[in-house]
Amino acid sequence: MNWASLRLRRREGLNCIPRRSRDGWEYHIEVPDSAEFFWIGPREYAFLSALDGTVTVDQAARRAAQTLKDDAFSEAQVWQTCVWLHEHGLVTAADLAVPSSAHPEHRTQTRNRPTFSPFWSQFPMGSLDPVAKALLPLLGPLHSPVICGSGLAFCFVVFLRDLLSPLDAGSPRHIFWPEHWIWLGLAWLAAKVLHEISHAVVCRKYGGQVGALSLALILFAPLVAVDVSSAWKFRSKWQRLHVSLAGIYSDLMLAAGLLCLAGVAYSPVTIRFCYDFAWLLAGGTLLFNANPLMRFDGYYVLSDLINIPNLYEKGSQRVQGLVYRAVGVPAPEVISRDLGESKFVMIYGLLAVIWRVFVSLGLCLTAIAMFHEIGVVIAALGLFGWYVRPTARFARDCLAANRWNAFRLARVGFLGTAFVALIGFGLLSLPCPWNVTAPALVDFPEDSLVRVETSGWVRALHVEVGGRVERGTLLMELENEDLVAECAALKLSIEKCRIKERKALSTGDTSTMQIEQEKRHAIDKQLQFKTASLDGLRVLAPVSGHLVAVDWPQLQGTYLKEGQQVCVISDERRKRLLVSVAQPDSKQFSAGSTIHFRIGQDLQSLASVSRLTPRATVIPVSDAFCSPAGGPLPAVPGDDPKTWDFLEPRFAAYVDLPESVAERVFVGQRAQVSSRVDRSLLDAAGQQLRLWSRELIHSISR
């Protein structure tokens, strides 16, 4: 497009407010139709004023040069200014048909259309101005300077008191458990609605107009936003700052009130929720809303305090220009009203880019942790849009600019290879940020399980269910006539061998005597084994505790097989976790590894793995792990119709619970254990993708 001969016209209805800043004059441009605001410098204002639709761009630039003299635009800057003005709808072509997509009215309409993506979705909800006007008499006095100052002092005292003497309400991590997401989402949405209402009320308090309210979803977590951009036309900087900080003030006051409620409430559920959500709300507000590196409240406060408008865009453009110059590509010119602010803008831009990278990677990891296989697809789409497309566009610009320069192409290739190698090294060296998890069950230790060592008929029961027994107490007696007969026959065979030995000794038959001795020793070993089995007919208590059994009296007169469990000696201070571990995660659950376990809603702690089976098997350590029995793991019928087998072999790990925990849990309770992944981020992600791929292929093949 030939901008020099084109006739451009200023958009109708623009309001221009001049203001004196520390570096001279600046101009605040307001677009009433779309509620947009822009800051421009004297050069841009002189050039925009000359665009009345009757002169060409070249003639308008000459008129502006007569006013600006030595500070006039160069030809390239005139072109960049025209592009910027046209992209933001501040000028229209007077002698050309303008596409509907570039028309200012179309831009105003598209701003109110809903947008949807997995990471960010926004839906307009209508104007909040009537609500703010109705609530102004009620909430307006609460935002007066005196009350705001007193409220901030109150928040400081409450938070300081809670930090010095924290409430014993347990770890706040359980608020992120999936069963609490709906309550967390509703509470968070209510807090953010109050946050935005505070912005709207303060804006209305100073005479501003409140725009539309929008519902936003970040990874399907609800947020709301209200348009209070009319505050930028306030002449008082402190009024604009008050509007920006009203939401943060509202969140801190609500968090402080919840902490006070947690201190006087009686219900443990109320105390825990108030305590955890208060710190979650305060931390989220300070980390995101008050963070100047994100385009939320803190950013607008910083931009207004240092009097640098469009700080975020300028910082991004400075960083982009730095990268372009590093590879020898002409950087796009940046429209700036003050070149003296370049260093600060550059530092801010670098910090904002670093923070943006951390936030984007955190969103990807959160998507994977929350949605698993679908989360991988969401993360891949996000990484493609955030990194792959800009990188491809940057590479295209580099190749187009350095097509005929071998030295620059070599430099671009070297820097690109170094960048990829740096990213790869970081992924290989950074530890995996997520943990591996496995299902578990509360059970008694192995030595508490009483099993029959020898098959036989139950002859007598010597204790009752629930009775206290000590270690070595006789629980039951069995009888096995076949075993007794076998022992008697072996004893008789031993006596026959001895008689033959004495006879051979008297006759001097040495060889026969040695044969009978060896035969006697072999029979004696058999007798020792049978005698031990005979002793096994007396079932003794392996530990001290209370006898727990099902249908204990009905065992009288029944036949019990060797190895059959008959009862448990219960000691409430001694319990363990049975953990079913997937094969790829066995390293994280090796003997001596520290794991984090969670039982029920509240109980969670640390423990060490006492033992891990040396081999994986499809036979479950307990049928309670199998999905047909209500467990979390898929299983199919085994060889025996009454048994189940896992789809893939799994290890069994055993974790001894601390006494303080064992006394509070019950046998059969389900638990969840986790262990930190001792692998690099890239290795862990690749292994997880391979595991999910196998599960997907298996489900499709079935």
Side-chain angles (χ1 to χ4, degrees), residues 147-185:
I147 294 182
C148 286
S150 303
L152 291 176
F154 168 74
C155 293
F156 176 79
V157 172
V158 171
F159 286 125
L160 183 62
R161 182 207 64 181
D162 199 76
L163 286 173
L164 295 179
S165 56
L167 180 65
D168 185 17
S171 172
R173 284 176 295 184
H174 68 268
I175 201 171
F176 295 104
W177 294 348
E179 55 265 33
H180 293 163
W181 284 353
I182 182 172
W183 303 110
L184 175 63

mmCIF file of all heavy atoms in Angstrom, residues 147-185:
data_model
loop_
_atom_site.group_PDB
_atom_site.id
_atom_site.type_symbol
_atom_site.label_atom_id
_atom_site.label_comp_id
_atom_site.label_asym_id
_atom_site.label_seq_id
_atom_site.Cartn_x
_atom_site.Cartn_y
_atom_site.Cartn_z
ATOM 1 N N ILE A 147 -11.759 4.920 55.552
ATOM 2 C CA ILE A 147 -12.120 3.511 55.769
ATOM 3 C C ILE A 147 -11.129 2.593 55.066
ATOM 4 O O ILE A 147 -10.762 1.528 55.599
ATOM 5 C CB ILE A 147 -13.554 3.255 55.289
ATOM 6 C CG1 ILE A 147 -14.549 4.033 56.167
ATOM 7 C CG2 ILE A 147 -13.880 1.772 55.315
ATOM 8 C CD1 ILE A 147 -15.992 3.820 55.808
ATOM 9 N N CYS A 148 -10.662 2.966 53.894
ATOM 10 C CA CYS A 148 -9.674 2.139 53.184
ATOM 11 C C CYS A 148 -8.379 2.042 53.975
ATOM 12 O O CYS A 148 -7.778 0.968 54.093
ATOM 13 C CB CYS A 148 -9.410 2.703 51.797
ATOM 14 S SG CYS A 148 -10.742 2.407 50.612
ATOM 15 N N GLY A 149 -7.928 3.167 54.522
ATOM 16 C CA GLY A 149 -6.712 3.136 55.340
ATOM 17 C C GLY A 149 -6.880 2.278 56.574
ATOM 18 O O GLY A 149 -5.996 1.481 56.928
ATOM 19 N N SER A 150 -8.036 2.402 57.240
ATOM 20 C CA SER A 150 -8.295 1.570 58.417
ATOM 21 C C SER A 150 -8.400 0.099 58.037
ATOM 22 O O SER A 150 -7.916 -0.782 58.764
ATOM 23 C CB SER A 150 -9.588 2.029 59.094
ATOM 24 O OG SER A 150 -9.528 3.401 59.437
ATOM 25 N N GLY A 151 -9.013 -0.179 56.881
ATOM 26 C CA GLY A 151 -9.137 -1.567 56.442
ATOM 27 C C GLY A 151 -7.794 -2.203 56.137
ATOM 28 O O GLY A 151 -7.553 -3.369 56.472
ATOM 29 N N LEU A 152 -6.905 -1.455 55.508
ATOM 30 C CA LEU A 152 -5.573 -1.994 55.220
ATOM 31 C C LEU A 152 -4.799 -2.263 56.505
ATOM 32 O O LEU A 152 -4.081 -3.263 56.613
ATOM 33 C CB LEU A 152 -4.810 -1.029 54.320
ATOM 34 C CG LEU A 152 -5.327 -0.906 52.874
ATOM 35 C CD1 LEU A 152 -4.542 0.150 52.118
ATOM 36 C CD2 LEU A 152 -5.243 -2.248 52.163
ATOM 37 N N ALA A 153 -4.932 -1.374 57.488
ATOM 38 C CA ALA A 153 -4.279 -1.615 58.777
ATOM 39 C C ALA A 153 -4.860 -2.860 59.453
ATOM 40 O O ALA A 153 -4.130 -3.664 60.048
ATOM 41 C CB ALA A 153 -4.451 -0.387 59.673
ATOM 42 N N PHE A 154 -6.172 -3.025 59.356
ATOM 43 C CA PHE A 154 -6.820 -4.217 59.909
ATOM 44 C C PHE A 154 -6.300 -5.483 59.227
ATOM 45 O O PHE A 154 -6.001 -6.486 59.893
ATOM 46 C CB PHE A 154 -8.335 -4.081 59.725
ATOM 47 C CG PHE A 154 -9.098 -5.349 59.979
ATOM 48 C CD1 PHE A 154 -9.294 -5.828 61.269
ATOM 49 C CD2 PHE A 154 -9.633 -6.080 58.910
ATOM 50 C CE1 PHE A 154 -10.008 -6.997 61.493
ATOM 51 C CE2 PHE A 154 -10.341 -7.243 59.130
ATOM 52 C CZ PHE A 154 -10.527 -7.701 60.426
ATOM 53 N N CYS A 155 -6.186 -5.472 57.899
ATOM 54 C CA CYS A 155 -5.666 -6.637 57.162
ATOM 55 C C CYS A 155 -4.235 -6.954 57.590
ATOM 56 O O CYS A 155 -3.879 -8.123 57.789
ATOM 57 C CB CYS A 155 -5.713 -6.377 55.662
ATOM 58 S SG CYS A 155 -7.381 -6.256 54.974
ATOM 59 N N PHE A 156 -3.421 -5.918 57.761
ATOM 60 C CA PHE A 156 -2.029 -6.133 58.157
ATOM 61 C C PHE A 156 -1.952 -6.804 59.527
ATOM 62 O O PHE A 156 -1.185 -7.758 59.731
ATOM 63 C CB PHE A 156 -1.285 -4.794 58.170
ATOM 64 C CG PHE A 156 0.128 -4.892 58.646
ATOM 65 C CD1 PHE A 156 1.124 -5.356 57.801
ATOM 66 C CD2 PHE A 156 0.469 -4.523 59.942
ATOM 67 C CE1 PHE A 156 2.442 -5.449 58.238
ATOM 68 C CE2 PHE A 156 1.772 -4.618 60.389
ATOM 69 C CZ PHE A 156 2.759 -5.079 59.534
ATOM 70 N N VAL A 157 -2.759 -6.345 60.466
ATOM 71 C CA VAL A 157 -2.744 -6.916 61.815
ATOM 72 C C VAL A 157 -3.223 -8.371 61.791
ATOM 73 O O VAL A 157 -2.624 -9.253 62.428
ATOM 74 C CB VAL A 157 -3.608 -6.056 62.760
ATOM 75 C CG1 VAL A 157 -3.771 -6.742 64.109
ATOM 76 C CG2 VAL A 157 -2.996 -4.681 62.939
ATOM 77 N N VAL A 158 -4.301 -8.646 61.050
ATOM 78 C CA VAL A 158 -4.849 -10.003 61.011
ATOM 79 C C VAL A 158 -3.865 -10.968 60.378
ATOM 80 O O VAL A 158 -3.599 -12.063 60.903
ATOM 81 C CB VAL A 158 -6.190 -10.015 60.250
ATOM 82 C CG1 VAL A 158 -6.662 -11.446 60.022
ATOM 83 C CG2 VAL A 158 -7.244 -9.248 61.027
ATOM 84 N N PHE A 159 -3.284 -10.582 59.239
ATOM 85 C CA PHE A 159 -2.350 -11.484 58.559
ATOM 86 C C PHE A 159 -1.081 -11.677 59.388
ATOM 87 O O PHE A 159 -0.541 -12.788 59.454
ATOM 88 C CB PHE A 159 -1.992 -10.938 57.180
ATOM 89 C CG PHE A 159 -3.098 -11.075 56.176
ATOM 90 C CD1 PHE A 159 -3.579 -9.978 55.486
ATOM 91 C CD2 PHE A 159 -3.672 -12.309 55.930
ATOM 92 C CE1 PHE A 159 -4.602 -10.103 54.570
ATOM 93 C CE2 PHE A 159 -4.702 -12.450 55.009
ATOM 94 C CZ PHE A 159 -5.166 -11.343 54.332
ATOM 95 N N LEU A 160 -0.601 -10.625 60.011
ATOM 96 C CA LEU A 160 0.588 -10.751 60.845
ATOM 97 C C LEU A 160 0.317 -11.648 62.040
ATOM 98 O O LEU A 160 1.143 -12.506 62.394
ATOM 99 C CB LEU A 160 1.040 -9.366 61.306
ATOM 100 C CG LEU A 160 2.328 -9.328 62.146
ATOM 101 C CD1 LEU A 160 3.508 -9.846 61.333
ATOM 102 C CD2 LEU A 160 2.601 -7.909 62.643
ATOM 103 N N ARG A 161 -0.835 -11.494 62.670
ATOM 104 C CA ARG A 161 -1.180 -12.352 63.806
ATOM 105 C C ARG A 161 -1.274 -13.815 63.383
ATOM 106 O O ARG A 161 -0.808 -14.712 64.088
ATOM 107 C CB ARG A 161 -2.520 -11.898 64.385
ATOM 108 C CG ARG A 161 -2.978 -12.681 65.614
ATOM 109 C CD ARG A 161 -4.476 -12.669 65.746
ATOM 110 N NE ARG A 161 -5.110 -13.351 64.631
ATOM 111 C CZ ARG A 161 -6.424 -13.479 64.490
ATOM 112 N NH1 ARG A 161 -7.242 -12.944 65.379
ATOM 113 N NH2 ARG A 161 -6.930 -14.113 63.441
ATOM 114 N N ASP A 162 -1.859 -14.054 62.221
ATOM 115 C CA ASP A 162 -2.014 -15.433 61.772
ATOM 116 C C ASP A 162 -0.682 -16.049 61.370
ATOM 117 O O ASP A 162 -0.467 -17.242 61.557
ATOM 118 C CB ASP A 162 -2.977 -15.485 60.592
ATOM 119 C CG ASP A 162 -3.534 -16.877 60.362
ATOM 120 O OD1 ASP A 162 -4.418 -17.273 61.133
ATOM 121 O OD2 ASP A 162 -3.056 -17.556 59.438
ATOM 122 N N LEU A 163 0.223 -15.248 60.838
ATOM 123 C CA LEU A 163 1.543 -15.770 60.486
ATOM 124 C C LEU A 163 2.359 -16.103 61.727
ATOM 125 O O LEU A 163 3.097 -17.095 61.756
ATOM 126 C CB LEU A 163 2.295 -14.755 59.623
ATOM 127 C CG LEU A 163 1.831 -14.611 58.173
ATOM 128 C CD1 LEU A 163 2.557 -13.450 57.500
ATOM 129 C CD2 LEU A 163 2.061 -15.903 57.409
ATOM 130 N N LEU A 164 2.219 -15.282 62.771
ATOM 131 C CA LEU A 164 2.989 -15.523 63.993
ATOM 132 C C LEU A 164 2.401 -16.653 64.823
ATOM 133 O O LEU A 164 3.137 -17.363 65.519
ATOM 134 C CB LEU A 164 3.044 -14.236 64.825
ATOM 135 C CG LEU A 164 3.797 -13.062 64.179
ATOM 136 C CD1 LEU A 164 3.756 -11.843 65.086
ATOM 137 C CD2 LEU A 164 5.243 -13.450 63.865
ATOM 138 N N SER A 165 1.091 -16.832 64.762
ATOM 139 C CA SER A 165 0.457 -17.926 65.506
ATOM 140 C C SER A 165 -0.543 -18.609 64.594
ATOM 141 O O SER A 165 -1.743 -18.371 64.671
ATOM 142 C CB SER A 165 -0.262 -17.394 66.747
ATOM 143 O OG SER A 165 -1.205 -16.402 66.380
ATOM 144 N N PRO A 166 -0.062 -19.457 63.658
ATOM 145 C CA PRO A 166 -0.955 -20.050 62.663
ATOM 146 C C PRO A 166 -1.990 -20.962 63.297
ATOM 147 O O PRO A 166 -1.733 -21.650 64.269
ATOM 148 C CB PRO A 166 -0.005 -20.839 61.755
ATOM 149 C CG PRO A 166 1.200 -21.097 62.609
ATOM 150 C CD PRO A 166 1.314 -19.921 63.535
ATOM 151 N N LEU A 167 -3.161 -20.932 62.706
ATOM 152 C CA LEU A 167 -4.254 -21.783 63.164
ATOM 153 C C LEU A 167 -3.983 -23.219 62.769
ATOM 154 O O LEU A 167 -3.596 -23.495 61.649
ATOM 155 C CB LEU A 167 -5.576 -21.308 62.538
ATOM 156 C CG LEU A 167 -6.835 -22.083 62.897
ATOM 157 C CD1 LEU A 167 -7.143 -21.924 64.370
ATOM 158 C CD2 LEU A 167 -7.998 -21.606 62.040
ATOM 159 N N ASP A 168 -4.180 -24.142 63.700
ATOM 160 C CA ASP A 168 -3.927 -25.557 63.428
ATOM 161 C C ASP A 168 -5.142 -26.152 62.708
ATOM 162 O O ASP A 168 -5.969 -26.826 63.288
ATOM 163 C CB ASP A 168 -3.660 -26.308 64.731
ATOM 164 C CG ASP A 168 -3.261 -27.755 64.474
ATOM 165 O OD1 ASP A 168 -2.887 -28.058 63.326
ATOM 166 O OD2 ASP A 168 -3.330 -28.556 65.426
ATOM 167 N N ALA A 169 -5.197 -25.864 61.409
ATOM 168 C CA ALA A 169 -6.317 -26.355 60.609
ATOM 169 C C ALA A 169 -5.889 -27.347 59.554
ATOM 170 O O ALA A 169 -6.635 -27.693 58.683
ATOM 171 C CB ALA A 169 -7.034 -25.179 59.940
ATOM 172 N N GLY A 170 -4.669 -27.815 59.652
ATOM 173 C CA GLY A 170 -4.198 -28.787 58.670
ATOM 174 C C GLY A 170 -3.610 -28.117 57.457
ATOM 175 O O GLY A 170 -3.621 -26.907 57.299
ATOM 176 N N SER A 171 -3.083 -28.933 56.572
ATOM 177 C CA SER A 171 -2.457 -28.424 55.361
ATOM 178 C C SER A 171 -3.505 -27.903 54.400
ATOM 179 O O SER A 171 -4.545 -28.509 54.210
ATOM 180 C CB SER A 171 -1.638 -29.531 54.694
ATOM 181 O OG SER A 171 -1.194 -29.108 53.441
ATOM 182 N N PRO A 172 -3.247 -26.725 53.743
ATOM 183 C CA PRO A 172 -4.224 -26.198 52.792
ATOM 184 C C PRO A 172 -4.241 -26.941 51.478
ATOM 185 O O PRO A 172 -5.029 -26.629 50.610
ATOM 186 C CB PRO A 172 -3.773 -24.746 52.602
ATOM 187 C CG PRO A 172 -2.301 -24.783 52.873
ATOM 188 C CD PRO A 172 -2.113 -25.817 53.948
ATOM 189 N N ARG A 173 -3.376 -27.936 51.308
ATOM 190 C CA ARG A 173 -3.313 -28.621 50.024
ATOM 191 C C ARG A 173 -4.592 -29.387 49.711
ATOM 192 O O ARG A 173 -4.934 -29.609 48.554
ATOM 193 C CB ARG A 173 -2.123 -29.596 50.003
ATOM 194 C CG ARG A 173 -0.789 -28.909 49.832
ATOM 195 C CD ARG A 173 0.331 -29.913 49.914
ATOM 196 N NE ARG A 173 0.409 -30.506 51.241
ATOM 197 C CZ ARG A 173 1.355 -31.366 51.604
ATOM 198 N NH1 ARG A 173 2.271 -31.739 50.737
ATOM 199 N NH2 ARG A 173 1.396 -31.865 52.831
ATOM 200 N N HIS A 174 -5.329 -29.811 50.737
ATOM 201 C CA HIS A 174 -6.514 -30.616 50.457
ATOM 202 C C HIS A 174 -7.615 -29.814 49.795
ATOM 203 O O HIS A 174 -8.573 -30.383 49.288
ATOM 204 C CB HIS A 174 -7.040 -31.242 51.754
ATOM 205 C CG HIS A 174 -7.603 -30.250 52.723
ATOM 206 N ND1 HIS A 174 -6.851 -29.678 53.708
ATOM 207 C CD2 HIS A 174 -8.838 -29.723 52.827
ATOM 208 C CE1 HIS A 174 -7.615 -28.851 54.410
ATOM 209 N NE2 HIS A 174 -8.807 -28.857 53.893
ATOM 210 N N ILE A 175 -7.509 -28.477 49.777
ATOM 211 C CA ILE A 175 -8.537 -27.685 49.107
ATOM 212 C C ILE A 175 -8.471 -27.875 47.604
ATOM 213 O O ILE A 175 -9.404 -27.580 46.876
ATOM 214 C CB ILE A 175 -8.385 -26.193 49.491
ATOM 215 C CG1 ILE A 175 -9.711 -25.460 49.254
ATOM 216 C CG2 ILE A 175 -7.258 -25.536 48.720
ATOM 217 C CD1 ILE A 175 -9.745 -24.072 49.790
ATOM 218 N N PHE A 176 -7.350 -28.406 47.085
ATOM 219 C CA PHE A 176 -7.210 -28.643 45.655
ATOM 220 C C PHE A 176 -7.627 -30.062 45.261
ATOM 221 O O PHE A 176 -7.463 -30.440 44.111
ATOM 222 C CB PHE A 176 -5.754 -28.403 45.225
ATOM 223 C CG PHE A 176 -5.321 -26.972 45.380
ATOM 224 C CD1 PHE A 176 -4.502 -26.592 46.423
ATOM 225 C CD2 PHE A 176 -5.746 -26.012 44.489
ATOM 226 C CE1 PHE A 176 -4.103 -25.286 46.564
ATOM 227 C CE2 PHE A 176 -5.361 -24.689 44.620
ATOM 228 C CZ PHE A 176 -4.532 -24.319 45.671
ATOM 229 N N TRP A 177 -8.125 -30.856 46.185
ATOM 230 C CA TRP A 177 -8.550 -32.203 45.829
ATOM 231 C C TRP A 177 -9.762 -32.113 44.901
ATOM 232 O O TRP A 177 -10.578 -31.192 45.012
ATOM 233 C CB TRP A 177 -8.909 -32.990 47.088
ATOM 234 C CG TRP A 177 -7.729 -33.248 47.958
ATOM 235 C CD1 TRP A 177 -6.412 -33.070 47.636
ATOM 236 C CD2 TRP A 177 -7.754 -33.706 49.311
ATOM 237 N NE1 TRP A 177 -5.617 -33.402 48.695
ATOM 238 C CE2 TRP A 177 -6.419 -33.804 49.740
ATOM 239 C CE3 TRP A 177 -8.770 -34.060 50.190
ATOM 240 C CZ2 TRP A 177 -6.081 -34.228 51.009
ATOM 241 C CZ3 TRP A 177 -8.429 -34.486 51.458
ATOM 242 C CH2 TRP A 177 -7.101 -34.571 51.856
ATOM 243 N N PRO A 178 -9.911 -33.052 43.957
ATOM 244 C CA PRO A 178 -10.995 -32.948 42.972
ATOM 245 C C PRO A 178 -12.380 -32.843 43.584
ATOM 246 O O PRO A 178 -13.240 -32.146 43.038
ATOM 247 C CB PRO A 178 -10.825 -34.247 42.156
ATOM 248 C CG PRO A 178 -9.381 -34.590 42.287
ATOM 249 C CD PRO A 178 -8.983 -34.165 43.676
ATOM 250 N N GLU A 179 -12.619 -33.511 44.717
ATOM 251 C CA GLU A 179 -13.954 -33.454 45.304
ATOM 252 C C GLU A 179 -14.284 -32.071 45.873
ATOM 253 O O GLU A 179 -15.438 -31.791 46.194
ATOM 254 C CB GLU A 179 -14.106 -34.505 46.408
ATOM 255 C CG GLU A 179 -13.054 -34.409 47.499
ATOM 256 C CD GLU A 179 -11.886 -35.346 47.250
ATOM 257 O OE1 GLU A 179 -11.556 -35.577 46.069
ATOM 258 O OE2 GLU A 179 -11.300 -35.828 48.226
ATOM 259 N N HIS A 180 -13.279 -31.203 45.997
ATOM 260 C CA HIS A 180 -13.514 -29.858 46.521
ATOM 261 C C HIS A 180 -13.536 -28.808 45.415
ATOM 262 O O HIS A 180 -13.712 -27.625 45.706
ATOM 263 C CB HIS A 180 -12.427 -29.475 47.534
ATOM 264 C CG HIS A 180 -12.477 -30.288 48.784
ATOM 265 N ND1 HIS A 180 -11.420 -30.358 49.666
ATOM 266 C CD2 HIS A 180 -13.447 -31.075 49.306
ATOM 267 C CE1 HIS A 180 -11.742 -31.157 50.669
ATOM 268 N NE2 HIS A 180 -12.961 -31.610 50.475
ATOM 269 N N TRP A 181 -13.345 -29.226 44.150
ATOM 270 C CA TRP A 181 -13.241 -28.246 43.075
ATOM 271 C C TRP A 181 -14.518 -27.443 42.903
ATOM 272 O O TRP A 181 -14.478 -26.235 42.649
ATOM 273 C CB TRP A 181 -12.890 -28.953 41.761
ATOM 274 C CG TRP A 181 -11.459 -29.354 41.683
ATOM 275 C CD1 TRP A 181 -10.475 -29.041 42.581
ATOM 276 C CD2 TRP A 181 -10.838 -30.164 40.688
ATOM 277 N NE1 TRP A 181 -9.279 -29.605 42.203
ATOM 278 C CE2 TRP A 181 -9.478 -30.305 41.046
ATOM 279 C CE3 TRP A 181 -11.299 -30.784 39.537
ATOM 280 C CZ2 TRP A 181 -8.581 -31.030 40.279
ATOM 281 C CZ3 TRP A 181 -10.411 -31.512 38.773
ATOM 282 C CH2 TRP A 181 -9.068 -31.623 39.136
ATOM 283 N N ILE A 182 -15.669 -28.068 43.038
ATOM 284 C CA ILE A 182 -16.909 -27.334 42.815
ATOM 285 C C ILE A 182 -17.101 -26.259 43.881
ATOM 286 O O ILE A 182 -17.483 -25.123 43.579
ATOM 287 C CB ILE A 182 -18.112 -28.308 42.763
ATOM 288 C CG1 ILE A 182 -19.397 -27.528 42.467
ATOM 289 C CG2 ILE A 182 -18.237 -29.104 44.074
ATOM 290 C CD1 ILE A 182 -20.583 -28.430 42.207
ATOM 291 N N TRP A 183 -16.789 -26.600 45.151
ATOM 292 C CA TRP A 183 -16.918 -25.591 46.213
ATOM 293 C C TRP A 183 -15.862 -24.515 46.069
ATOM 294 O O TRP A 183 -16.142 -23.324 46.286
ATOM 295 C CB TRP A 183 -16.809 -26.271 47.576
ATOM 296 C CG TRP A 183 -17.818 -27.350 47.764
ATOM 297 C CD1 TRP A 183 -17.604 -28.703 47.812
ATOM 298 C CD2 TRP A 183 -19.231 -27.180 47.901
ATOM 299 N NE1 TRP A 183 -18.776 -29.386 47.973
ATOM 300 C CE2 TRP A 183 -19.808 -28.470 48.036
ATOM 301 C CE3 TRP A 183 -20.073 -26.069 47.927
ATOM 302 C CZ2 TRP A 183 -21.170 -28.666 48.188
ATOM 303 C CZ3 TRP A 183 -21.436 -26.276 48.083
ATOM 304 C CH2 TRP A 183 -21.964 -27.555 48.212
ATOM 305 N N LEU A 184 -14.659 -24.903 45.713
ATOM 306 C CA LEU A 184 -13.608 -23.924 45.488
ATOM 307 C C LEU A 184 -13.969 -22.997 44.338
ATOM 308 O O LEU A 184 -13.780 -21.775 44.423
ATOM 309 C CB LEU A 184 -12.290 -24.642 45.193
ATOM 310 C CG LEU A 184 -11.098 -23.751 44.824
ATOM 311 C CD1 LEU A 184 -10.735 -22.843 45.974
ATOM 312 C CD2 LEU A 184 -9.913 -24.595 44.401
ATOM 313 N N GLY A 185 -14.518 -23.569 43.249
ATOM 314 C CA GLY A 185 -14.888 -22.744 42.103
ATOM 315 C C GLY A 185 -15.986 -21.756 42.435
ATOM 316 O O GLY A 185 -15.926 -20.587 42.035
#
